[in-house]
Amino acid sequence: MPPIEALPRPSRVPLSLSQQGLWLRSRLSGSSDACHIQKGFRLCGGMYKAALYSALNRLVARHELLRTTFEVEDGEPFQRIGPAHVGLALKRDDLTTAADEETALADLILHEAQAALNLEGGPLIRGRLVRLAVDDHVLLITMHNMISDDWSRKILGRELSELYAAVREGRADRLSPLPVQYADYALWQRRWLAGDFLERQAEYWLRTLKGAPAVLKLPTDHPRPAQQGHSGSYVDFVLDEALTAQIKALSRRHGTSLFASLLAGWALVLARLSGQDELVIGTHSANRTRSEIDGLIGLFANTLALRIDLSGDPTLATLLERVYAAALGAQANQDLPFEQVLDLVNPRIALTSIVHVILTSQDNGAESADLPGFALEHLRVDDRVAQRELMLNLIERGEAIRGRLIYATSLFERSTVERFARHLQQALSQMVADPKQRAWSAPLQLREERRRLLVRSGSIDVAYRQDRCMHELFEAQVERDPEAIAVVEEQSLSSREQHVGATSALPSICSPQSPLRNSDLRPRSALMNFIEGTRVITEGELQANSITRYHVTKFYREQVTKSGYYEQLKHVVEPSFKEFESPGDLDTSGEHDNTVVPGLQHKYAQTGLMLVTDRCASYCRYCFRKRIVGKDSDEIITNFAKIAQYISDHPEMTNVLLSGGDPFVLSTAKLDKIVSHLLPIPHLDSIRFGTKIVAYEPKRFEDPALPALFQRIHEAGKASVIVTHFDHIGEISVDAERNIRSLHAQGVQFLNQSVLLAKVNDDSKILAATFAKCHQMGVRPYYLFQGRPVKGASHFQVPLRRGLEIAHGINQRLSGIQKTFKYIMSHYTGKIEILDLGADGRIYMRYHQNQTPRKVGKIFSRPHVEGACWLDDLPDG
């Protein structure tokens, strides 16, 4: 890549890629809490205030970013660079009369760390000079993360020292001129890090993190609050010289790094505490790979997400090798900002990231700066702000390794974190003592710790459901506590060890159902008639022709009636004449007709939607099926060979969704013929089946031919994915759950999308329970759909503000990996993720899917209008 140069700039300088992510986060939350970098100096000696003021002003003049604010025009942020003479206002405090000056100082430091900095109004750097005695002062410098990082903190200390000395001694400073400013870097990054270079890194992160757990389910002392604060504390500890020497020797023997060995020990502790055999641990990278920016204050640091795999009960030596490989791969692909990595893996606003635990080996404390005339002490001032649940800092000091474990006080007690530190020492000791030990059986005192925390936080559920099979109860116990001891005759084996043969070893006490013949697979209710335009219909005709929102089966109607949720679900099950009293445009899909081949829509860059059925089980009365087949037709006219050729000619398509109706109303033999056209296409990685039949006709999935179909897809190197449509927990029957668990065990993946319907599920409690139940069954909720407002149609519309409240309420009631759904509306321009209503009164959105790949992930906003339900209800601007 070409060097970074100070070239002519446009009138509006864009943000760097990392700044863009932070800016959006701040925009949506309406604040910038916990996004600060602090530097503290304890100054003991004579105070030359004029020299200090001058040095600070020169520092701001030297670095453009320290006098930069961020403004917005046409929805896009840009940098506004202030004049060189703007200087730095230094507030002064006097604590000489305080009853306890050290406590007062600690409170003031915490206040400075948490008080917001205004991105648009500025300044984004502030100073505070605190007087403790005549010759004892503390200088606090606080910078917004948009303009600084940990490396910048060291630069600030070093340059402030030289500038102060130069002013006192009446000489020119000895600092080398800066070859470029941060604005030059941002322009260079946008120009050169947006092509093949970043695409290769994007491919690495997508491949590495695809399907990774979204959160570490670490047990805590206290339940996670609805709104996570940033108040933190820390525990210091030391890995003594003997243990440090042993860890270094272990690293040399296995050809790894000291960092990888420490990370492997930390991963072992977290895995055993959480019960997860796969986790994502973050680490910080300075990301200063270019010499031009070595001395530049600015945001360059990046978070690298390391996916750690402890599946298969590896030896500790194997775990070390896996961790080292993960660290090397991440370091080689460190240029892509973490916010963009999140967008790739799970396109959504990164208000909570997949990295809840951080390990860093960066030294943020011992900068070698000095201020002449002072006995200078560098203060650690920002370790009482917890930006993650846990942050482990490890740094080599002499012959020992010193650690600091920073934690969120809302989640953990200090005594618990002290035990975490001891567990890390114990894990590392086991690694050096015998690397051949198995990760899940190494003698660590973690099972008791995990159980203690689960009991303390009230997370253990001892009320087993009475209608579950024995092997399901056993599997649930394995999920709750993999290390729990199960007594079998005179042997003691861990649940994890027994789980390998659990299903076959334990008898099933659930009565198996007789499979249906393919000839019995059609829904028993009448075919839906469609109503369009201004057609007049009588109430009798409505009832006689079974014009309902869904193709409701007898099973489903009975299930809803007995579920306890009839009052809500009756709006879905029972026909409503009122819906048809008012004529209107009934194109409820919200999308223009973009059929490219009869039977296929290529709406989005990666996804094709294929018509596969001759009858529809949805309530959209102007659907894709009708445009292709005709509203009264029972015939399929789809040309699957032509569709396959089209997909083959478009290598950007990676998955096909069989839709336009419910594919499982077709016989398995017919589905098998359809799939035959798709399996030879090399760039398809998944075949998806969109279905409501899991709720309507669960007996359909007892067809013995279905497993062979899914196995055939698997053998072709593709994933079988069933996209369920559970809108309400009352739709999930015992039969549906049993089928899902059985298919999941055969390797079939499950996603769920729910439509947000007023009067039906417009309640965060209902939807949270639905999503939690889905996760319990192995179904990942991934869409909460906002239906399009159509006059007279059967979408029970919810306003956007209410929808966002519901989405937030769901997140507050769920924990960890359960928070995987996106709040989506389907628009003719693409699928749009609704992010949040910002403090500025605008609805923020991003393209989740679009036929133009460069638009995917693009964030935009529109002014909010009260009562608006749809993108077109919001004005441009």
Side-chain angles (χ1 to χ4, degrees), residues 138-158:
V138 169
L139 174 65
L140 292 175
I141 305 294
T142 305
M143 297 173 285
H144 198 287
N145 208 167
M146 286 280 279
I147 64 168
S148 184
D149 57 15
D150 284 330
W151 189 294
S152 300
R153 175 165 40 193
K154 299 179 185 180
I155 296 173
L156 183 145
R158 185 174 62 248

PDB file of all heavy atoms in Angstrom, residues 138-158:
ATOM      1  N   VAL A 138      -2.583  17.180  41.344  1.00  0.00           N
ATOM      2  CA  VAL A 138      -2.895  16.098  40.397  1.00  0.00           C
ATOM      3  C   VAL A 138      -3.410  16.738  39.114  1.00  0.00           C
ATOM      4  O   VAL A 138      -4.326  17.577  39.154  1.00  0.00           O
ATOM      5  CB  VAL A 138      -3.939  15.115  40.961  1.00  0.00           C
ATOM      6  CG1 VAL A 138      -4.446  14.182  39.863  1.00  0.00           C
ATOM      7  CG2 VAL A 138      -3.334  14.307  42.096  1.00  0.00           C
ATOM      8  N   LEU A 139      -2.796  16.348  37.999  1.00  0.00           N
ATOM      9  CA  LEU A 139      -3.244  16.809  36.687  1.00  0.00           C
ATOM     10  C   LEU A 139      -3.984  15.669  36.006  1.00  0.00           C
ATOM     11  O   LEU A 139      -3.421  14.582  35.816  1.00  0.00           O
ATOM     12  CB  LEU A 139      -2.057  17.250  35.830  1.00  0.00           C
ATOM     13  CG  LEU A 139      -2.378  17.618  34.378  1.00  0.00           C
ATOM     14  CD1 LEU A 139      -3.287  18.850  34.313  1.00  0.00           C
ATOM     15  CD2 LEU A 139      -1.095  17.856  33.579  1.00  0.00           C
ATOM     16  N   LEU A 140      -5.254  15.903  35.662  1.00  0.00           N
ATOM     17  CA  LEU A 140      -6.072  14.905  34.970  1.00  0.00           C
ATOM     18  C   LEU A 140      -6.343  15.373  33.550  1.00  0.00           C
ATOM     19  O   LEU A 140      -6.800  16.504  33.344  1.00  0.00           O
ATOM     20  CB  LEU A 140      -7.412  14.698  35.679  1.00  0.00           C
ATOM     21  CG  LEU A 140      -7.396  14.040  37.058  1.00  0.00           C
ATOM     22  CD1 LEU A 140      -8.806  14.033  37.631  1.00  0.00           C
ATOM     23  CD2 LEU A 140      -6.859  12.621  36.973  1.00  0.00           C
ATOM     24  N   ILE A 141      -6.049  14.525  32.588  1.00  0.00           N
ATOM     25  CA  ILE A 141      -6.384  14.793  31.191  1.00  0.00           C
ATOM     26  C   ILE A 141      -7.357  13.711  30.745  1.00  0.00           C
ATOM     27  O   ILE A 141      -7.071  12.511  30.864  1.00  0.00           O
ATOM     28  CB  ILE A 141      -5.138  14.774  30.284  1.00  0.00           C
ATOM     29  CG1 ILE A 141      -4.084  15.755  30.791  1.00  0.00           C
ATOM     30  CG2 ILE A 141      -5.531  15.078  28.851  1.00  0.00           C
ATOM     31  CD1 ILE A 141      -4.494  17.203  30.703  1.00  0.00           C
ATOM     32  N   THR A 142      -8.509  14.111  30.253  1.00  0.00           N
ATOM     33  CA  THR A 142      -9.536  13.167  29.786  1.00  0.00           C
ATOM     34  C   THR A 142      -9.811  13.429  28.314  1.00  0.00           C
ATOM     35  O   THR A 142     -10.074  14.569  27.920  1.00  0.00           O
ATOM     36  CB  THR A 142     -10.840  13.326  30.594  1.00  0.00           C
ATOM     37  OG1 THR A 142     -10.551  13.192  31.984  1.00  0.00           O
ATOM     38  CG2 THR A 142     -11.864  12.277  30.183  1.00  0.00           C
ATOM     39  N   MET A 143      -9.743  12.370  27.519  1.00  0.00           N
ATOM     40  CA  MET A 143      -9.985  12.467  26.076  1.00  0.00           C
ATOM     41  C   MET A 143     -11.075  11.483  25.684  1.00  0.00           C
ATOM     42  O   MET A 143     -11.135  10.368  26.205  1.00  0.00           O
ATOM     43  CB  MET A 143      -8.707  12.163  25.293  1.00  0.00           C
ATOM     44  CG  MET A 143      -7.564  13.122  25.532  1.00  0.00           C
ATOM     45  SD  MET A 143      -6.017  12.587  24.732  1.00  0.00           S
ATOM     46  CE  MET A 143      -5.516  11.258  25.835  1.00  0.00           C
ATOM     47  N   HIS A 144     -11.905  11.890  24.747  1.00  0.00           N
ATOM     48  CA  HIS A 144     -12.889  10.962  24.199  1.00  0.00           C
ATOM     49  C   HIS A 144     -12.177   9.911  23.363  1.00  0.00           C
ATOM     50  O   HIS A 144     -11.169  10.188  22.705  1.00  0.00           O
ATOM     51  CB  HIS A 144     -13.905  11.718  23.325  1.00  0.00           C
ATOM     52  CG  HIS A 144     -15.164  10.944  23.070  1.00  0.00           C
ATOM     53  ND1 HIS A 144     -15.218   9.852  22.226  1.00  0.00           N
ATOM     54  CD2 HIS A 144     -16.421  11.087  23.562  1.00  0.00           C
ATOM     55  CE1 HIS A 144     -16.451   9.381  22.199  1.00  0.00           C
ATOM     56  NE2 HIS A 144     -17.201  10.102  23.005  1.00  0.00           N
ATOM     57  N   ASN A 145     -12.706   8.703  23.406  1.00  0.00           N
ATOM     58  CA  ASN A 145     -12.098   7.614  22.637  1.00  0.00           C
ATOM     59  C   ASN A 145     -12.105   7.890  21.131  1.00  0.00           C
ATOM     60  O   ASN A 145     -11.341   7.289  20.378  1.00  0.00           O
ATOM     61  CB  ASN A 145     -12.835   6.304  22.928  1.00  0.00           C
ATOM     62  CG  ASN A 145     -11.939   5.092  22.765  1.00  0.00           C
ATOM     63  OD1 ASN A 145     -12.277   4.004  23.179  1.00  0.00           O
ATOM     64  ND2 ASN A 145     -10.776   5.263  22.148  1.00  0.00           N
ATOM     65  N   MET A 146     -12.954   8.802  20.675  1.00  0.00           N
ATOM     66  CA  MET A 146     -12.973   9.155  19.250  1.00  0.00           C
ATOM     67  C   MET A 146     -11.661   9.814  18.816  1.00  0.00           C
ATOM     68  O   MET A 146     -11.339   9.857  17.628  1.00  0.00           O
ATOM     69  CB  MET A 146     -14.132  10.114  18.964  1.00  0.00           C
ATOM     70  CG  MET A 146     -15.494   9.468  18.964  1.00  0.00           C
ATOM     71  SD  MET A 146     -15.877   8.602  17.426  1.00  0.00           S
ATOM     72  CE  MET A 146     -16.385   9.969  16.396  1.00  0.00           C
ATOM     73  N   ILE A 147     -10.913  10.355  19.777  1.00  0.00           N
ATOM     74  CA  ILE A 147      -9.690  11.060  19.414  1.00  0.00           C
ATOM     75  C   ILE A 147      -8.459  10.469  20.086  1.00  0.00           C
ATOM     76  O   ILE A 147      -7.377  11.050  20.036  1.00  0.00           O
ATOM     77  CB  ILE A 147      -9.783  12.563  19.754  1.00  0.00           C
ATOM     78  CG1 ILE A 147      -9.910  12.773  21.264  1.00  0.00           C
ATOM     79  CG2 ILE A 147     -10.945  13.222  19.026  1.00  0.00           C
ATOM     80  CD1 ILE A 147      -9.720  14.213  21.711  1.00  0.00           C
ATOM     81  N   SER A 148      -8.582   9.306  20.703  1.00  0.00           N
ATOM     82  CA  SER A 148      -7.458   8.815  21.483  1.00  0.00           C
ATOM     83  C   SER A 148      -7.566   7.310  21.699  1.00  0.00           C
ATOM     84  O   SER A 148      -8.616   6.706  21.482  1.00  0.00           O
ATOM     85  CB  SER A 148      -7.405   9.542  22.836  1.00  0.00           C
ATOM     86  OG  SER A 148      -6.272   9.155  23.565  1.00  0.00           O
ATOM     87  N   ASP A 149      -6.450   6.716  22.132  1.00  0.00           N
ATOM     88  CA  ASP A 149      -6.414   5.323  22.562  1.00  0.00           C
ATOM     89  C   ASP A 149      -5.291   5.174  23.583  1.00  0.00           C
ATOM     90  O   ASP A 149      -4.670   6.172  23.997  1.00  0.00           O
ATOM     91  CB  ASP A 149      -6.255   4.361  21.375  1.00  0.00           C
ATOM     92  CG  ASP A 149      -5.004   4.638  20.545  1.00  0.00           C
ATOM     93  OD1 ASP A 149      -4.110   5.369  21.026  1.00  0.00           O
ATOM     94  OD2 ASP A 149      -4.920   4.134  19.411  1.00  0.00           O
ATOM     95  N   ASP A 150      -5.013   3.953  24.025  1.00  0.00           N
ATOM     96  CA  ASP A 150      -4.013   3.759  25.074  1.00  0.00           C
ATOM     97  C   ASP A 150      -2.622   4.193  24.631  1.00  0.00           C
ATOM     98  O   ASP A 150      -1.846   4.745  25.410  1.00  0.00           O
ATOM     99  CB  ASP A 150      -3.984   2.290  25.504  1.00  0.00           C
ATOM    100  CG  ASP A 150      -5.171   1.937  26.385  1.00  0.00           C
ATOM    101  OD1 ASP A 150      -5.649   2.832  27.099  1.00  0.00           O
ATOM    102  OD2 ASP A 150      -5.623   0.780  26.355  1.00  0.00           O
ATOM    103  N   TRP A 151      -2.262   3.915  23.394  1.00  0.00           N
ATOM    104  CA  TRP A 151      -0.970   4.344  22.867  1.00  0.00           C
ATOM    105  C   TRP A 151      -0.892   5.871  22.882  1.00  0.00           C
ATOM    106  O   TRP A 151       0.156   6.441  23.201  1.00  0.00           O
ATOM    107  CB  TRP A 151      -0.799   3.801  21.455  1.00  0.00           C
ATOM    108  CG  TRP A 151       0.566   3.984  20.837  1.00  0.00           C
ATOM    109  CD1 TRP A 151       1.164   5.149  20.494  1.00  0.00           C
ATOM    110  CD2 TRP A 151       1.483   2.946  20.487  1.00  0.00           C
ATOM    111  NE1 TRP A 151       2.391   4.929  19.940  1.00  0.00           N
ATOM    112  CE2 TRP A 151       2.622   3.576  19.918  1.00  0.00           C
ATOM    113  CE3 TRP A 151       1.461   1.554  20.565  1.00  0.00           C
ATOM    114  CZ2 TRP A 151       3.714   2.848  19.438  1.00  0.00           C
ATOM    115  CZ3 TRP A 151       2.550   0.840  20.085  1.00  0.00           C
ATOM    116  CH2 TRP A 151       3.657   1.475  19.536  1.00  0.00           C
ATOM    117  N   SER A 152      -1.992   6.517  22.550  1.00  0.00           N
ATOM    118  CA  SER A 152      -2.029   7.987  22.549  1.00  0.00           C
ATOM    119  C   SER A 152      -1.766   8.543  23.941  1.00  0.00           C
ATOM    120  O   SER A 152      -1.159   9.615  24.095  1.00  0.00           O
ATOM    121  CB  SER A 152      -3.397   8.473  22.061  1.00  0.00           C
ATOM    122  OG  SER A 152      -3.659   8.016  20.753  1.00  0.00           O
ATOM    123  N   ARG A 153      -2.201   7.827  24.965  1.00  0.00           N
ATOM    124  CA  ARG A 153      -1.976   8.269  26.336  1.00  0.00           C
ATOM    125  C   ARG A 153      -0.477   8.362  26.630  1.00  0.00           C
ATOM    126  O   ARG A 153      -0.017   9.291  27.290  1.00  0.00           O
ATOM    127  CB  ARG A 153      -2.671   7.306  27.294  1.00  0.00           C
ATOM    128  CG  ARG A 153      -2.418   7.585  28.736  1.00  0.00           C
ATOM    129  CD  ARG A 153      -3.381   6.869  29.660  1.00  0.00           C
ATOM    130  NE  ARG A 153      -3.687   5.504  29.253  1.00  0.00           N
ATOM    131  CZ  ARG A 153      -4.701   4.796  29.774  1.00  0.00           C
ATOM    132  NH1 ARG A 153      -5.483   5.349  30.667  1.00  0.00           N
ATOM    133  NH2 ARG A 153      -4.915   3.570  29.390  1.00  0.00           N
ATOM    134  N   LYS A 154       0.278   7.387  26.118  1.00  0.00           N
ATOM    135  CA  LYS A 154       1.729   7.434  26.317  1.00  0.00           C
ATOM    136  C   LYS A 154       2.351   8.595  25.550  1.00  0.00           C
ATOM    137  O   LYS A 154       3.257   9.283  26.061  1.00  0.00           O
ATOM    138  CB  LYS A 154       2.347   6.118  25.852  1.00  0.00           C
ATOM    139  CG  LYS A 154       1.856   4.900  26.606  1.00  0.00           C
ATOM    140  CD  LYS A 154       2.505   3.635  26.060  1.00  0.00           C
ATOM    141  CE  LYS A 154       1.950   2.392  26.718  1.00  0.00           C
ATOM    142  NZ  LYS A 154       2.567   1.158  26.204  1.00  0.00           N
ATOM    143  N   ILE A 155       1.870   8.809  24.321  1.00  0.00           N
ATOM    144  CA  ILE A 155       2.383   9.930  23.531  1.00  0.00           C
ATOM    145  C   ILE A 155       2.121  11.243  24.250  1.00  0.00           C
ATOM    146  O   ILE A 155       2.985  12.123  24.324  1.00  0.00           O
ATOM    147  CB  ILE A 155       1.734   9.930  22.131  1.00  0.00           C
ATOM    148  CG1 ILE A 155       2.137   8.675  21.353  1.00  0.00           C
ATOM    149  CG2 ILE A 155       2.116  11.189  21.352  1.00  0.00           C
ATOM    150  CD1 ILE A 155       1.404   8.512  20.043  1.00  0.00           C
ATOM    151  N   LEU A 156       0.905  11.373  24.786  1.00  0.00           N
ATOM    152  CA  LEU A 156       0.552  12.598  25.489  1.00  0.00           C
ATOM    153  C   LEU A 156       1.509  12.849  26.655  1.00  0.00           C
ATOM    154  O   LEU A 156       2.011  13.971  26.835  1.00  0.00           O
ATOM    155  CB  LEU A 156      -0.891  12.517  25.982  1.00  0.00           C
ATOM    156  CG  LEU A 156      -1.440  13.754  26.681  1.00  0.00           C
ATOM    157  CD1 LEU A 156      -2.921  13.930  26.357  1.00  0.00           C
ATOM    158  CD2 LEU A 156      -1.274  13.682  28.198  1.00  0.00           C
ATOM    159  N   GLY A 157       1.767  11.827  27.465  1.00  0.00           N
ATOM    160  CA  GLY A 157       2.664  12.010  28.601  1.00  0.00           C
ATOM    161  C   GLY A 157       4.066  12.383  28.172  1.00  0.00           C
ATOM    162  O   GLY A 157       4.688  13.288  28.760  1.00  0.00           O
ATOM    163  N   ARG A 158       4.571  11.727  27.149  1.00  0.00           N
ATOM    164  CA  ARG A 158       5.932  11.992  26.683  1.00  0.00           C
ATOM    165  C   ARG A 158       6.072  13.397  26.104  1.00  0.00           C
ATOM    166  O   ARG A 158       7.023  14.138  26.404  1.00  0.00           O
ATOM    167  CB  ARG A 158       6.318  10.943  25.649  1.00  0.00           C
ATOM    168  CG  ARG A 158       7.746  11.034  25.166  1.00  0.00           C
ATOM    169  CD  ARG A 158       8.096   9.867  24.259  1.00  0.00           C
ATOM    170  NE  ARG A 158       7.283   9.836  23.046  1.00  0.00           N
ATOM    171  CZ  ARG A 158       6.380   8.899  22.772  1.00  0.00           C
ATOM    172  NH1 ARG A 158       6.147   7.929  23.638  1.00  0.00           N
ATOM    173  NH2 ARG A 158       5.684   8.933  21.650  1.00  0.00           N
TER     174      ARG A 158
END
